[in-house]
Amino acid sequence: TGKETDDQVYRAVREYREKYPEKVVLYSTDGSSRFGWSVLMAGGSLPNIPKIELTAFYSALSEMKLVNGNQFSDVVWKLENKGKAYLFYAKKSEDISIDLTNYKGDFEVYSINATTGSVSKNANVSGGKTVVIPAADFKEKVLFIVKKN
């Protein structure tokens, strides 16, 4: 057996999620506790991620779907509920682009520490256009964007 990596875990979970969309997909190995974000971003169930201290995160997450075309080798993995909420996991520092052209209103941008779950509010952005969030503007691997009520 080979060494587990984030990319391999993502690929495996995503393949099962796409093949069995109505089923629960669990990832369990001796090292699986290290790959919670990979499991989550690939559409897996019950991922081992830290508690996120933002109530909007969990309600938004339950409505998010995989993004078509997202691959295990991509630098940024994405989940979305178009026009309402977006979750990005950046494996390496990269600008995040989000197309809000068809969605009016204001969106809140949060950084989430992937290890501790602590949340920092970064900014507010307006819909109606494509928004680019420079990598320098967020220090964490996880970026959560949610429409303001």
Side-chain angles (χ1 to χ4, degrees), residues 44-102:
S45 305
L46 302 174
N48 184 18
I49 62 170
K51 182 177 181 183
I52 309 302
E53 298 294 336
L54 183 66
T55 54
F57 177 81
Y58 294 103
S59 57
L61 186 62
S62 68
E63 301 295 321
M64 288 188 190
K65 305 289 182 224
L66 297 170
V67 173
N68 287 335
N70 217 181
Q71 300 291 317
F72 72 92
S73 57
D74 292 347
V75 174
V76 178
W77 294 331
K78 307 165 196 158
L79 292 174
E80 67 182 12
N81 181 0
K82 288 186 178 183
K84 296 183 180 175
Y86 303 83
L87 186 64
F88 299 90
Y89 182 88
K91 296 186 291 179
K92 296 179 184 166
S93 185
E94 184 170 283
D95 293 352
I96 301 291
S97 179
I98 178 170
D99 184 2
L100 298 174
T101 306
N102 297 322

